[in-house]
Amino acid sequence: MKVLDWNVCAFSKKQGLSIDQALKFNADLLCLQEVTKDSLKILKSTPGYSLAETKDNESKKGGSYPVILTKMRILNSGKFSYYDKTTTSPAAKIISSYTKESEKHDALYIDLEINGRIVRVYNLHISWPVSPSIRKLQFTNFLNIIKTHKYKKIICGDLNVFGGLKLYTLLAFFPFGYSKRDIFFNERKWFNTQFQELEMQNLWKILSHGLCFPLMRNLTMCWFQIPSLLPAQHSLNRGMVLTTLLI
């Protein structure tokens, strides 16, 4: 099964070209973040794919959406909220004032039958211009919810994990509302630990072999929890992960 995960950037004037490129990979499962309202209309008419979506950002221009497309039949779909507060860092306030957008924190999911077993696929987009402790809280809430779900899991999304990078921490300290505790918190290590405890694989760690730029490697993450799951091939392109899975 070929899986693609990509944040196509709501502010990109070439989002249509990005989506065209994503579709050319002919993946069985596509998880996209920051899809605009206009792009969503196009995706809904893409032949051969079923689609599920939820709102990522609210705005007068229509906001943006996490989207899951699949060639397989969707047995069930839904969403749930993992954070019910407004992000209030100085950077978040400035960005919201400029874009006239407000974040929503809903995770999207679909259920698929793969080789006789039900697999639940998640797509979420965690906050960016905030402190690591906020992302930690958001993701802890997400994990606490999905732990109650009985199915095997594929988790895709833009998790915005930058922790552990000293220069980034220095630059983000004030605008992203870091506390003193956040300075010494290795966010990337914490995220890896959460998935190791769930016996899930970090495809970025497996596929990149340390060759990606540090700020690029974890912009988007794909995590998989299926026994005997083997990545067969991959392609990386500006935060995209494309992999073929032998399930």
Side-chain angles (χ1 to χ4, degrees):
M1 182 176 73
K2 189 184 291 184
V3 181
L4 183 147
D5 182 22
W6 199 7
N7 184 328
V8 291
C9 186
F11 299 108
S12 172
K13 294 181 181 180
K14 297 182 179 181
Q15 183 175 110
L17 294 176
S18 297
I19 289 176
D20 285 343
Q21 180 180 350
L23 291 172
K24 286 179 181 178
F25 284 110
N26 196 32
D28 300 292
L29 178 67
L30 295 93
C31 293
L32 306 176
Q33 302 87 42
E34 295 194 22
V35 174
T36 64
K37 189 175 182 179
D38 289 340
S39 295
L40 182 63
K41 292 178 181 178
I42 296 172
L43 288 172
K44 284 183 175 180
S45 61
T46 303
Y49 284 97
S50 301
L51 180 147
E53 92 277 353
T54 187
K55 261 292 181 66
D56 192 22
N57 282 290
E58 294 279 7
S59 77
K60 293 181 179 180
K61 294 183 179 180
S64 61
Y65 301 77
V67 173
I68 303 176
L69 295 101
T70 179
K71 292 181 179 180
M72 294 167 277
R73 184 169 68 92
I74 297 176
L75 304 178
N76 181 41
S77 66
K79 65 180 182 178
F80 57 85
S81 174
Y82 56 87
Y83 192 69
D84 60 1
K85 298 180 180 179
T86 303
T87 51
T88 57
S89 70
K93 290 179 179 179
I94 293 172
I95 293 171
S96 178
S97 175
Y98 176 74
T99 62
K100 308 299 181 185
E101 290 185 346
S102 59
E103 281 190 345
K104 290 182 61 109
H105 303 99
D106 286 344
L108 174 68
Y109 67 86
I110 64 171
D111 295 336
L112 304 172
E113 183 175 352
I114 303 176
N115 290 337
R117 55 185 166 186
I118 305 300
V119 177
R120 178 159 288 184
V121 181
Y122 301 87
N123 189 9
L124 74 159
H125 190 184
I126 286 181
S127 297
W128 167 56
V130 297
S131 67
S133 57
I134 296 297
R135 277 191 293 274
K136 178 182 178 182
L137 177 59
Q138 290 179 357
F139 203 62
T140 297
N141 291 344
F142 170 80
L143 290 178
N144 286 338
I145 293 171
I146 71 167
K147 284 176 182 177
T148 66
H149 299 171
K150 60 184 179 180
Y151 305 118
K152 295 299 181 182
K153 303 169 180 66
I154 296 177
I155 302 177
C156 299
D158 187 343
L159 305 185
N160 281 310
V161 178
F162 296 99
L165 302 172
K166 294 181 180 179
L167 177 59
Y168 182 85
T169 299
L170 180 64
L171 295 174
F173 178 78
F174 173 73
F176 287 9
Y178 279 43
S179 67
K180 292 181 179 179
R181 181 178 298 180
D182 289 320
I183 298 175
F184 303 101
F185 175 57
N186 190 323
E187 184 180 11
R188 183 176 297 174
K189 183 177 179 180
W190 181 84
F191 269 80
N192 279 324
T193 299
Q194 304 314 300
F195 284 101
Q196 287 170 3
E197 291 177 357
L198 291 173
E199 298 182 348
M200 303 183 80
Q201 299 183 50
N202 177 357
L203 281 213
W204 275 100
K205 206 169 187 179
I206 295 170
L207 301 178
S208 67
H209 304 297
L211 298 178
C212 294
F213 291 103
L215 284 178
M216 297 293 292
R217 182 184 302 171
N218 279 352
L219 279 175
T220 306
M221 284 187 176
C222 250
W223 300 86
F224 300 87
Q225 186 195 42
I226 298 178
S228 302
L229 189 64
L230 300 173
Q233 55 180 294
H234 71 273
S235 172
L236 300 178
N237 182 5
R238 292 185 59 81
M240 176 199 293
V241 61
L242 172 70
T243 188
T244 301
L245 306 176
L246 306 179
I247 301 177

PDB file of all heavy atoms in Angstrom, residues 19-50:
ATOM      1  N   ILE A  19      -0.732  19.798  -5.273  1.00  0.00           N
ATOM      2  CA  ILE A  19      -1.719  18.722  -5.199  1.00  0.00           C
ATOM      3  C   ILE A  19      -1.667  17.854  -6.452  1.00  0.00           C
ATOM      4  O   ILE A  19      -1.765  16.624  -6.387  1.00  0.00           O
ATOM      5  CB  ILE A  19      -3.121  19.304  -4.964  1.00  0.00           C
ATOM      6  CG1 ILE A  19      -3.208  19.863  -3.527  1.00  0.00           C
ATOM      7  CG2 ILE A  19      -4.201  18.251  -5.196  1.00  0.00           C
ATOM      8  CD1 ILE A  19      -4.505  20.550  -3.215  1.00  0.00           C
ATOM      9  N   ASP A  20      -1.481  18.497  -7.604  1.00  0.00           N
ATOM     10  CA  ASP A  20      -1.328  17.722  -8.847  1.00  0.00           C
ATOM     11  C   ASP A  20      -0.137  16.780  -8.742  1.00  0.00           C
ATOM     12  O   ASP A  20      -0.201  15.616  -9.165  1.00  0.00           O
ATOM     13  CB  ASP A  20      -1.140  18.663 -10.035  1.00  0.00           C
ATOM     14  CG  ASP A  20      -2.435  19.351 -10.445  1.00  0.00           C
ATOM     15  OD1 ASP A  20      -3.513  18.877 -10.032  1.00  0.00           O
ATOM     16  OD2 ASP A  20      -2.363  20.359 -11.169  1.00  0.00           O
ATOM     17  N   GLN A  21       0.969  17.279  -8.168  1.00  0.00           N
ATOM     18  CA  GLN A  21       2.165  16.455  -8.011  1.00  0.00           C
ATOM     19  C   GLN A  21       1.888  15.289  -7.073  1.00  0.00           C
ATOM     20  O   GLN A  21       2.303  14.157  -7.327  1.00  0.00           O
ATOM     21  CB  GLN A  21       3.320  17.286  -7.468  1.00  0.00           C
ATOM     22  CG  GLN A  21       4.610  16.491  -7.281  1.00  0.00           C
ATOM     23  CD  GLN A  21       5.750  17.329  -6.735  1.00  0.00           C
ATOM     24  OE1 GLN A  21       5.646  18.550  -6.659  1.00  0.00           O
ATOM     25  NE2 GLN A  21       6.831  16.682  -6.330  1.00  0.00           N
ATOM     26  N   ALA A  22       1.179  15.572  -5.972  1.00  0.00           N
ATOM     27  CA  ALA A  22       0.856  14.517  -5.011  1.00  0.00           C
ATOM     28  C   ALA A  22       0.015  13.421  -5.664  1.00  0.00           C
ATOM     29  O   ALA A  22       0.245  12.225  -5.453  1.00  0.00           O
ATOM     30  CB  ALA A  22       0.124  15.113  -3.813  1.00  0.00           C
ATOM     31  N   LEU A  23      -0.959  13.820  -6.482  1.00  0.00           N
ATOM     32  CA  LEU A  23      -1.836  12.848  -7.119  1.00  0.00           C
ATOM     33  C   LEU A  23      -1.095  11.997  -8.155  1.00  0.00           C
ATOM     34  O   LEU A  23      -1.457  10.842  -8.395  1.00  0.00           O
ATOM     35  CB  LEU A  23      -3.024  13.559  -7.774  1.00  0.00           C
ATOM     36  CG  LEU A  23      -4.034  14.193  -6.810  1.00  0.00           C
ATOM     37  CD1 LEU A  23      -5.049  15.029  -7.574  1.00  0.00           C
ATOM     38  CD2 LEU A  23      -4.744  13.132  -5.980  1.00  0.00           C
ATOM     39  N   LYS A  24      -0.032  12.566  -8.754  1.00  0.00           N
ATOM     40  CA  LYS A  24       0.728  11.825  -9.764  1.00  0.00           C
ATOM     41  C   LYS A  24       1.462  10.623  -9.166  1.00  0.00           C
ATOM     42  O   LYS A  24       1.844   9.712  -9.887  1.00  0.00           O
ATOM     43  CB  LYS A  24       1.713  12.757 -10.459  1.00  0.00           C
ATOM     44  CG  LYS A  24       1.053  13.727 -11.436  1.00  0.00           C
ATOM     45  CD  LYS A  24       2.068  14.656 -12.076  1.00  0.00           C
ATOM     46  CE  LYS A  24       1.389  15.625 -13.028  1.00  0.00           C
ATOM     47  NZ  LYS A  24       2.360  16.589 -13.632  1.00  0.00           N
ATOM     48  N   PHE A  25       1.682  10.644  -7.837  1.00  0.00           N
ATOM     49  CA  PHE A  25       2.328   9.500  -7.203  1.00  0.00           C
ATOM     50  C   PHE A  25       1.402   8.281  -7.144  1.00  0.00           C
ATOM     51  O   PHE A  25       1.836   7.187  -6.817  1.00  0.00           O
ATOM     52  CB  PHE A  25       2.796   9.864  -5.797  1.00  0.00           C
ATOM     53  CG  PHE A  25       4.036  10.704  -5.770  1.00  0.00           C
ATOM     54  CD1 PHE A  25       3.976  12.029  -5.392  1.00  0.00           C
ATOM     55  CD2 PHE A  25       5.264  10.172  -6.115  1.00  0.00           C
ATOM     56  CE1 PHE A  25       5.120  12.815  -5.363  1.00  0.00           C
ATOM     57  CE2 PHE A  25       6.416  10.950  -6.088  1.00  0.00           C
ATOM     58  CZ  PHE A  25       6.336  12.279  -5.709  1.00  0.00           C
ATOM     59  N   ASN A  26       0.112   8.513  -7.423  1.00  0.00           N
ATOM     60  CA  ASN A  26      -0.853   7.418  -7.493  1.00  0.00           C
ATOM     61  C   ASN A  26      -0.892   6.609  -6.201  1.00  0.00           C
ATOM     62  O   ASN A  26      -0.938   5.375  -6.204  1.00  0.00           O
ATOM     63  CB  ASN A  26      -0.530   6.505  -8.677  1.00  0.00           C
ATOM     64  CG  ASN A  26      -1.692   5.596  -9.051  1.00  0.00           C
ATOM     65  OD1 ASN A  26      -2.849   5.969  -8.892  1.00  0.00           O
ATOM     66  ND2 ASN A  26      -1.383   4.405  -9.523  1.00  0.00           N
ATOM     67  N   ALA A  27      -0.854   7.304  -5.066  1.00  0.00           N
ATOM     68  CA  ALA A  27      -0.857   6.646  -3.766  1.00  0.00           C
ATOM     69  C   ALA A  27      -2.228   6.049  -3.466  1.00  0.00           C
ATOM     70  O   ALA A  27      -3.262   6.553  -3.916  1.00  0.00           O
ATOM     71  CB  ALA A  27      -0.467   7.635  -2.672  1.00  0.00           C
ATOM     72  N   ASP A  28      -2.225   4.989  -2.674  1.00  0.00           N
ATOM     73  CA  ASP A  28      -3.485   4.388  -2.239  1.00  0.00           C
ATOM     74  C   ASP A  28      -4.135   5.204  -1.128  1.00  0.00           C
ATOM     75  O   ASP A  28      -5.344   5.166  -0.942  1.00  0.00           O
ATOM     76  CB  ASP A  28      -3.230   2.965  -1.728  1.00  0.00           C
ATOM     77  CG  ASP A  28      -2.628   2.080  -2.803  1.00  0.00           C
ATOM     78  OD1 ASP A  28      -3.334   1.786  -3.782  1.00  0.00           O
ATOM     79  OD2 ASP A  28      -1.443   1.702  -2.669  1.00  0.00           O
ATOM     80  N   LEU A  29      -3.299   5.939  -0.381  1.00  0.00           N
ATOM     81  CA  LEU A  29      -3.770   6.732   0.743  1.00  0.00           C
ATOM     82  C   LEU A  29      -2.997   8.046   0.773  1.00  0.00           C
ATOM     83  O   LEU A  29      -1.774   8.045   0.784  1.00  0.00           O
ATOM     84  CB  LEU A  29      -3.564   5.958   2.051  1.00  0.00           C
ATOM     85  CG  LEU A  29      -3.958   6.643   3.359  1.00  0.00           C
ATOM     86  CD1 LEU A  29      -5.466   6.833   3.431  1.00  0.00           C
ATOM     87  CD2 LEU A  29      -3.469   5.813   4.554  1.00  0.00           C
ATOM     88  N   LEU A  30      -3.712   9.174   0.761  1.00  0.00           N
ATOM     89  CA  LEU A  30      -3.088  10.492   0.836  1.00  0.00           C
ATOM     90  C   LEU A  30      -3.639  11.238   2.042  1.00  0.00           C
ATOM     91  O   LEU A  30      -4.862  11.335   2.215  1.00  0.00           O
ATOM     92  CB  LEU A  30      -3.356  11.327  -0.410  1.00  0.00           C
ATOM     93  CG  LEU A  30      -2.793  10.857  -1.741  1.00  0.00           C
ATOM     94  CD1 LEU A  30      -3.828  10.001  -2.470  1.00  0.00           C
ATOM     95  CD2 LEU A  30      -2.399  12.043  -2.612  1.00  0.00           C
ATOM     96  N   CYS A  31      -2.742  11.747   2.873  1.00  0.00           N
ATOM     97  CA  CYS A  31      -3.123  12.591   4.000  1.00  0.00           C
ATOM     98  C   CYS A  31      -2.501  13.967   3.777  1.00  0.00           C
ATOM     99  O   CYS A  31      -1.277  14.109   3.769  1.00  0.00           O
ATOM    100  CB  CYS A  31      -2.635  11.994   5.320  1.00  0.00           C
ATOM    101  SG  CYS A  31      -3.447  10.443   5.758  1.00  0.00           S
ATOM    102  N   LEU A  32      -3.337  14.973   3.574  1.00  0.00           N
ATOM    103  CA  LEU A  32      -2.875  16.321   3.273  1.00  0.00           C
ATOM    104  C   LEU A  32      -3.321  17.273   4.361  1.00  0.00           C
ATOM    105  O   LEU A  32      -4.397  17.108   4.948  1.00  0.00           O
ATOM    106  CB  LEU A  32      -3.432  16.792   1.923  1.00  0.00           C
ATOM    107  CG  LEU A  32      -3.178  15.874   0.709  1.00  0.00           C
ATOM    108  CD1 LEU A  32      -3.881  16.435  -0.517  1.00  0.00           C
ATOM    109  CD2 LEU A  32      -1.693  15.712   0.452  1.00  0.00           C
ATOM    110  N   GLN A  33      -2.483  18.275   4.644  1.00  0.00           N
ATOM    111  CA  GLN A  33      -2.840  19.320   5.592  1.00  0.00           C
ATOM    112  C   GLN A  33      -2.846  20.676   4.879  1.00  0.00           C
ATOM    113  O   GLN A  33      -2.170  20.859   3.874  1.00  0.00           O
ATOM    114  CB  GLN A  33      -1.868  19.367   6.776  1.00  0.00           C
ATOM    115  CG  GLN A  33      -1.773  18.071   7.564  1.00  0.00           C
ATOM    116  CD  GLN A  33      -0.755  17.124   6.990  1.00  0.00           C
ATOM    117  OE1 GLN A  33       0.333  17.532   6.592  1.00  0.00           O
ATOM    118  NE2 GLN A  33      -1.087  15.834   6.952  1.00  0.00           N
ATOM    119  N   GLU A  34      -3.633  21.613   5.423  1.00  0.00           N
ATOM    120  CA  GLU A  34      -3.742  22.998   4.934  1.00  0.00           C
ATOM    121  C   GLU A  34      -4.298  23.068   3.510  1.00  0.00           C
ATOM    122  O   GLU A  34      -3.897  23.909   2.703  1.00  0.00           O
ATOM    123  CB  GLU A  34      -2.398  23.732   5.026  1.00  0.00           C
ATOM    124  CG  GLU A  34      -1.914  23.919   6.458  1.00  0.00           C
ATOM    125  CD  GLU A  34      -0.783  24.928   6.573  1.00  0.00           C
ATOM    126  OE1 GLU A  34      -0.619  25.782   5.672  1.00  0.00           O
ATOM    127  OE2 GLU A  34      -0.063  24.875   7.584  1.00  0.00           O
ATOM    128  N   VAL A  35      -5.226  22.210   3.198  1.00  0.00           N
ATOM    129  CA  VAL A  35      -5.902  22.263   1.900  1.00  0.00           C
ATOM    130  C   VAL A  35      -6.909  23.409   1.921  1.00  0.00           C
ATOM    131  O   VAL A  35      -7.727  23.507   2.839  1.00  0.00           O
ATOM    132  CB  VAL A  35      -6.619  20.929   1.603  1.00  0.00           C
ATOM    133  CG1 VAL A  35      -7.435  21.024   0.323  1.00  0.00           C
ATOM    134  CG2 VAL A  35      -5.605  19.792   1.523  1.00  0.00           C
ATOM    135  N   THR A  36      -6.861  24.291   0.923  1.00  0.00           N
ATOM    136  CA  THR A  36      -7.782  25.424   0.882  1.00  0.00           C
ATOM    137  C   THR A  36      -9.160  24.980   0.387  1.00  0.00           C
ATOM    138  O   THR A  36      -9.323  23.883  -0.147  1.00  0.00           O
ATOM    139  CB  THR A  36      -7.254  26.528  -0.043  1.00  0.00           C
ATOM    140  OG1 THR A  36      -7.197  26.016  -1.386  1.00  0.00           O
ATOM    141  CG2 THR A  36      -5.868  26.995   0.399  1.00  0.00           C
ATOM    142  N   LYS A  37     -10.123  25.876   0.541  1.00  0.00           N
ATOM    143  CA  LYS A  37     -11.496  25.571   0.124  1.00  0.00           C
ATOM    144  C   LYS A  37     -11.564  25.293  -1.371  1.00  0.00           C
ATOM    145  O   LYS A  37     -12.265  24.372  -1.815  1.00  0.00           O
ATOM    146  CB  LYS A  37     -12.418  26.729   0.493  1.00  0.00           C
ATOM    147  CG  LYS A  37     -13.893  26.448   0.308  1.00  0.00           C
ATOM    148  CD  LYS A  37     -14.740  27.598   0.813  1.00  0.00           C
ATOM    149  CE  LYS A  37     -16.220  27.290   0.677  1.00  0.00           C
ATOM    150  NZ  LYS A  37     -17.060  28.410   1.193  1.00  0.00           N
ATOM    151  N   ASP A  38     -10.840  26.084  -2.167  1.00  0.00           N
ATOM    152  CA  ASP A  38     -10.856  25.887  -3.621  1.00  0.00           C
ATOM    153  C   ASP A  38     -10.216  24.546  -4.000  1.00  0.00           C
ATOM    154  O   ASP A  38     -10.726  23.829  -4.874  1.00  0.00           O
ATOM    155  CB  ASP A  38     -10.105  27.029  -4.316  1.00  0.00           C
ATOM    156  CG  ASP A  38     -10.867  28.347  -4.247  1.00  0.00           C
ATOM    157  OD1 ASP A  38     -12.090  28.313  -4.024  1.00  0.00           O
ATOM    158  OD2 ASP A  38     -10.235  29.412  -4.416  1.00  0.00           O
ATOM    159  N   SER A  39      -9.099  24.207  -3.339  1.00  0.00           N
ATOM    160  CA  SER A  39      -8.439  22.934  -3.633  1.00  0.00           C
ATOM    161  C   SER A  39      -9.299  21.758  -3.194  1.00  0.00           C
ATOM    162  O   SER A  39      -9.302  20.702  -3.835  1.00  0.00           O
ATOM    163  CB  SER A  39      -7.078  22.867  -2.929  1.00  0.00           C
ATOM    164  OG  SER A  39      -6.186  23.838  -3.448  1.00  0.00           O
ATOM    165  N   LEU A  40     -10.042  21.943  -2.104  1.00  0.00           N
ATOM    166  CA  LEU A  40     -10.912  20.880  -1.613  1.00  0.00           C
ATOM    167  C   LEU A  40     -11.978  20.525  -2.649  1.00  0.00           C
ATOM    168  O   LEU A  40     -12.298  19.344  -2.860  1.00  0.00           O
ATOM    169  CB  LEU A  40     -11.571  21.300  -0.302  1.00  0.00           C
ATOM    170  CG  LEU A  40     -12.487  20.273   0.365  1.00  0.00           C
ATOM    171  CD1 LEU A  40     -11.711  19.020   0.760  1.00  0.00           C
ATOM    172  CD2 LEU A  40     -13.155  20.882   1.601  1.00  0.00           C
ATOM    173  N   LYS A  41     -12.517  21.535  -3.304  1.00  0.00           N
ATOM    174  CA  LYS A  41     -13.525  21.288  -4.339  1.00  0.00           C
ATOM    175  C   LYS A  41     -12.954  20.422  -5.456  1.00  0.00           C
ATOM    176  O   LYS A  41     -13.630  19.524  -5.972  1.00  0.00           O
ATOM    177  CB  LYS A  41     -14.020  22.625  -4.908  1.00  0.00           C
ATOM    178  CG  LYS A  41     -14.830  23.464  -3.934  1.00  0.00           C
ATOM    179  CD  LYS A  41     -15.235  24.778  -4.581  1.00  0.00           C
ATOM    180  CE  LYS A  41     -16.024  25.653  -3.603  1.00  0.00           C
ATOM    181  NZ  LYS A  41     -16.383  26.963  -4.202  1.00  0.00           N
ATOM    182  N   ILE A  42     -11.699  20.692  -5.826  1.00  0.00           N
ATOM    183  CA  ILE A  42     -11.055  19.908  -6.884  1.00  0.00           C
ATOM    184  C   ILE A  42     -10.825  18.473  -6.426  1.00  0.00           C
ATOM    185  O   ILE A  42     -11.084  17.511  -7.160  1.00  0.00           O
ATOM    186  CB  ILE A  42      -9.719  20.566  -7.291  1.00  0.00           C
ATOM    187  CG1 ILE A  42      -9.979  21.955  -7.889  1.00  0.00           C
ATOM    188  CG2 ILE A  42      -8.957  19.689  -8.271  1.00  0.00           C
ATOM    189  CD1 ILE A  42      -8.728  22.755  -8.146  1.00  0.00           C
ATOM    190  N   LEU A  43     -10.347  18.324  -5.182  1.00  0.00           N
ATOM    191  CA  LEU A  43     -10.058  16.986  -4.659  1.00  0.00           C
ATOM    192  C   LEU A  43     -11.319  16.130  -4.565  1.00  0.00           C
ATOM    193  O   LEU A  43     -11.275  14.910  -4.762  1.00  0.00           O
ATOM    194  CB  LEU A  43      -9.395  17.088  -3.289  1.00  0.00           C
ATOM    195  CG  LEU A  43      -7.947  17.580  -3.272  1.00  0.00           C
ATOM    196  CD1 LEU A  43      -7.476  17.826  -1.840  1.00  0.00           C
ATOM    197  CD2 LEU A  43      -7.029  16.572  -3.961  1.00  0.00           C
ATOM    198  N   LYS A  44     -12.444  16.759  -4.256  1.00  0.00           N
ATOM    199  CA  LYS A  44     -13.697  16.012  -4.131  1.00  0.00           C
ATOM    200  C   LYS A  44     -14.129  15.398  -5.462  1.00  0.00           C
ATOM    201  O   LYS A  44     -14.912  14.438  -5.480  1.00  0.00           O
ATOM    202  CB  LYS A  44     -14.797  16.919  -3.584  1.00  0.00           C
ATOM    203  CG  LYS A  44     -14.678  17.195  -2.095  1.00  0.00           C
ATOM    204  CD  LYS A  44     -15.843  18.035  -1.581  1.00  0.00           C
ATOM    205  CE  LYS A  44     -15.766  18.200  -0.072  1.00  0.00           C
ATOM    206  NZ  LYS A  44     -16.887  19.025   0.467  1.00  0.00           N
ATOM    207  N   SER A  45     -13.635  15.972  -6.554  1.00  0.00           N
ATOM    208  CA  SER A  45     -14.010  15.444  -7.870  1.00  0.00           C
ATOM    209  C   SER A  45     -12.911  14.583  -8.480  1.00  0.00           C
ATOM    210  O   SER A  45     -12.975  14.232  -9.657  1.00  0.00           O
ATOM    211  CB  SER A  45     -14.337  16.610  -8.821  1.00  0.00           C
ATOM    212  OG  SER A  45     -13.204  17.450  -9.002  1.00  0.00           O
ATOM    213  N   THR A  46     -11.876  14.243  -7.683  1.00  0.00           N
ATOM    214  CA  THR A  46     -10.788  13.413  -8.183  1.00  0.00           C
ATOM    215  C   THR A  46     -11.285  11.986  -8.409  1.00  0.00           C
ATOM    216  O   THR A  46     -11.741  11.338  -7.463  1.00  0.00           O
ATOM    217  CB  THR A  46      -9.610  13.399  -7.192  1.00  0.00           C
ATOM    218  OG1 THR A  46      -9.163  14.740  -6.961  1.00  0.00           O
ATOM    219  CG2 THR A  46      -8.453  12.579  -7.745  1.00  0.00           C
ATOM    220  N   PRO A  47     -11.209  11.492  -9.624  1.00  0.00           N
ATOM    221  CA  PRO A  47     -11.731  10.134  -9.898  1.00  0.00           C
ATOM    222  C   PRO A  47     -10.903   9.057  -9.203  1.00  0.00           C
ATOM    223  O   PRO A  47      -9.681   9.157  -9.099  1.00  0.00           O
ATOM    224  CB  PRO A  47     -11.609  10.012 -11.429  1.00  0.00           C
ATOM    225  CG  PRO A  47     -10.559  11.013 -11.815  1.00  0.00           C
ATOM    226  CD  PRO A  47     -10.669  12.139 -10.839  1.00  0.00           C
ATOM    227  N   GLY A  48     -11.608   8.049  -8.712  1.00  0.00           N
ATOM    228  CA  GLY A  48     -10.929   6.900  -8.120  1.00  0.00           C
ATOM    229  C   GLY A  48     -10.645   7.014  -6.642  1.00  0.00           C
ATOM    230  O   GLY A  48     -10.111   6.083  -6.041  1.00  0.00           O
ATOM    231  N   TYR A  49     -10.985   8.165  -6.029  1.00  0.00           N
ATOM    232  CA  TYR A  49     -10.690   8.369  -4.612  1.00  0.00           C
ATOM    233  C   TYR A  49     -11.953   8.714  -3.821  1.00  0.00           C
ATOM    234  O   TYR A  49     -12.822   9.444  -4.303  1.00  0.00           O
ATOM    235  CB  TYR A  49      -9.693   9.517  -4.421  1.00  0.00           C
ATOM    236  CG  TYR A  49      -8.259   9.162  -4.751  1.00  0.00           C
ATOM    237  CD1 TYR A  49      -7.721   9.467  -5.989  1.00  0.00           C
ATOM    238  CD2 TYR A  49      -7.450   8.527  -3.808  1.00  0.00           C
ATOM    239  CE1 TYR A  49      -6.403   9.148  -6.298  1.00  0.00           C
ATOM    240  CE2 TYR A  49      -6.132   8.204  -4.107  1.00  0.00           C
ATOM    241  CZ  TYR A  49      -5.622   8.524  -5.348  1.00  0.00           C
ATOM    242  OH  TYR A  49      -4.316   8.202  -5.645  1.00  0.00           O
ATOM    243  N   SER A  50     -12.018   8.189  -2.601  1.00  0.00           N
ATOM    244  CA  SER A  50     -13.003   8.638  -1.614  1.00  0.00           C
ATOM    245  C   SER A  50     -12.313   9.643  -0.708  1.00  0.00           C
ATOM    246  O   SER A  50     -11.098   9.580  -0.512  1.00  0.00           O
ATOM    247  CB  SER A  50     -13.519   7.459  -0.798  1.00  0.00           C
ATOM    248  OG  SER A  50     -14.123   6.498  -1.630  1.00  0.00           O
TER     249      SER A  50
END
